[in-house]
Amino acid sequence: MSSTPTSITCTSLSFAWPDGTPVFEDLQVAFGPGRTGLVGVNGSGKSTLLKLISGELVPAEGTVRVAGEVGRLPQNVTLDTALRVDEVLDIAAKRAALHAIESGDVSEEHFEVVGDDWDVEERAVATLGELGLGHIGLDRTIGEVSGGESVLLRLAALLLRRPDVLLLDEPTNNLDLYARRRLYAAVEAYSGVMVVVSHDRELLDLVDQIADLRSGEVAWYGGNYSAYEEALATEQEAAERMVRVAESDLKKQKRELADAQVKLARRKRYGQKMFEQKREPKIVMGARKRAAQESAGKHRIMHEEKLAEAKERLDDAVEAVRDDDEIRVDLPYTAVPPGRDVLTLLDLELAYGASAGSFDLRGPERVALIGRNGAGKTTLLRTIAGELAPVSGEALTHVPLRFLPQRLDVLDDELTVAENVARFSPGATNNRVRARLARFLFRGARADQRAATLSGGERFRAALARADARRARAATADARRADEQPRHGERAAAHHRAGVVRGCAGRGQPRCAVPGVDRDHAVAVAGRIADGDVA
């Protein structure tokens, strides 16, 4: 790391996607030394901001200035399965040069490649050990490691570079409890500028401050995520109290305006009566009439202004109250009668050396499959779904199923959300497709966003809507398999997934198998937990 003070400064930042969808307009934000948790609803621009800071995206207007080297861990880690571990860590050339020198080749180019980094191999092995990857040799290929291990390998590559600024975008995606503990330790040990996008409460409780990105602006809260929640709860209580006060004031102003209108009408009738009876000289009555009209006009305008101000105060108070939507999914076609055979595993030996043995599942039930990274959870589900052939044994499904994969790569990025779903809804009208999408919070123009512009949480909802469209087309599906879903976005994303799984088995209807690494989340939504490694 450099010795100069490190900081990130974004000035008058504006950015929009190629289709014109705006993300930021005149955003002002700065990050200093320490750990900052960046939170916000799905689609608020958290990942986009990290990409702008790292230089992966270029702002339409404004500037991004970073003092020091930047390293970014992306939300979706995709690595070439043919790469060796040392290539992912970006030390392959130095290793080759070191080995050549050790073998007696003293060519000058080898020394130039090594530079001062003579202990790079030892540092790499040590870093892998610190992240719980000590069992992975530098010569192994990426195709031999799990998704969670791939995430840690990318983090290890960043830590070996020793960047001044570290940007972590949902770093606990696909990590088991053991791996997350290792990541937490790495986060605590980091001494530069760190910005973390995550919904992992335990990780966010390690930060020094919270930056809440909402409606294109950042609100700052000192302390960790627990302190942020407390402060936010206090703010919301005050906001809701202000709504009640503003509603009461609005009713009062409406009553006063109505009373004033009655009084003015009464005075007008009285004045007209006096004018008709001609009890005073005409010139005097005319003057009084004009004065009464002016007074009535001012009186009416005063009350109307008060009413408008009361409405404005109510609008401001309502706007301050957060009401983050949650998806609502009903799965009426997933009904499974009690005792119905759903899945049978017979002496199942999986690819990559894993074994599932024998197992019976009967409906209706929700099952959480948990275990260490690399244990074989995804391999088991892919085998059940028919994507992988077993080495031996059988996986028999007795009901139709749908498989929601871990990497959410089922969407065509060139199509809009509505177009993606419409592809799996033949015969459905545009209104029906959009009505379905509205249940997944894609309303109006949001349904016309290109899939490439979606955030991680939005992509999850779009993939789920697509799977739901396939279920509706089949109209007979009564089983689901959901692979471990990345923890996208804020806590509302976790509620989305929990709501879906509960909908999967609400009223004792469907069968749903959900593999995951978060025991608390698994306990919250599953009726039964299959614990331990698939070995």
Side-chain angles (χ1 to χ4, degrees), residues 421-476:
V421 173
R423 289 177 63 191
F424 292 89
S425 305
T429 64
N430 182 57
N431 286 342
R432 184 176 291 276
V433 169
R434 289 180 179 274
R436 176 175 292 123
L437 284 171
R439 292 187 292 140
F440 294 87
L441 308 185
F442 290 107
R443 303 184 180 96
R446 288 187 175 275
D448 296 318
Q449 288 180 262
R450 285 178 56 241
T453 69
L454 299 177
S455 70
E458 290 172 324
R459 199 172 185 87
F460 168 78
R461 287 191 272 115
L464 192 60
R466 175 187 176 276
D468 187 58
R470 293 188 65 189
R471 179 269 303 165
R473 178 178 65 174
T476 60

Side-chain angles (χ1 to χ4, degrees), residues 277-411:
Q277 293 178 352
K278 300 178 180 180
R279 293 185 178 182
E280 292 181 325
K282 186 174 182 180
I283 189 171
V284 174
M285 288 190 293
R288 286 188 175 181
K289 182 177 181 180
R290 288 191 296 274
Q293 288 174 339
E294 291 176 3
S295 176
K298 291 179 181 179
H299 198 59
R300 185 184 66 256
I301 291 172
M302 178 190 70
H303 281 288
E304 288 176 348
E305 287 178 348
K306 285 185 176 182
L307 180 61
E309 290 172 359
K311 288 180 178 178
E312 186 175 346
R313 285 194 295 272
L314 178 58
D315 290 341
D316 291 343
V318 170
E319 188 175 345
V321 176
R322 301 193 178 196
D323 185 20
D324 298 332
D325 290 334
E326 295 183 8
I327 60 177
R328 293 289 183 269
V329 184
D330 189 21
L331 304 174
Y333 300 108
T334 60
V336 178
R340 171 89 176 264
D341 286 337
V342 173
L343 172 67
T344 302
L345 306 183
L346 298 173
D347 299 322
L348 191 63
E349 297 292 330
L350 306 173
Y352 312 118
S355 172
S358 297
F359 195 52
D360 288 305
L361 289 180
R362 293 181 176 84
E365 192 174 7
R366 295 169 300 204
V367 177
L369 175 62
I370 64 176
R372 291 281 296 273
N373 287 134
K377 302 183 298 296
T378 297
T379 300
L380 174 57
L381 286 196
R382 292 184 65 195
T383 302
I384 294 171
E387 292 188 0
L388 290 177
V391 174
S392 63
E394 291 183 285
L396 304 174
T397 55
H398 307 290
V399 294
L401 64 85
R402 293 292 177 264
F403 178 51
L404 187 62
Q406 183 177 135
R407 297 197 180 278
L408 301 180
D409 54 1
V410 296
L411 302 176

Side-chain angles (χ1 to χ4, degrees), residues 192-259:
V193 175
M194 178 182 287
V195 182
V196 182
V197 172
S198 180
H199 94 283
D200 187 316
R201 290 182 57 92
E202 196 165 351
L203 174 59
L204 290 176
D205 270 342
L206 299 177
V207 304
D208 306 306
Q209 57 189 349
I210 294 291
D212 190 348
L213 181 58
R214 191 177 184 86
S215 301
E217 298 181 352
V218 175
W220 291 92
Y221 297 82
N224 60 16
Y225 191 77
S226 294
Y228 158 76
E229 282 195 313
E230 292 177 5
L232 195 62
T234 301
E235 285 184 3
Q236 289 305 290
E237 287 178 6
E240 290 168 0
R241 189 163 53 250
M242 288 303 298
V243 168
R244 292 192 293 272
V245 171
E247 287 175 338
S248 177
D249 185 40
L250 180 61
K251 290 178 181 178
K252 176 185 175 184
Q253 296 304 327
K254 285 181 176 179
R255 286 196 304 270
E256 290 185 355
L257 176 60
D259 291 344

Side-chain angles (χ1 to χ4, degrees), residues 29 64 68 152 167 204 341 429 519:
V29 65
V64 177
L152 291 180
L167 310 175
L204 290 176
D341 286 337
T429 64
R519 172 176 284 275

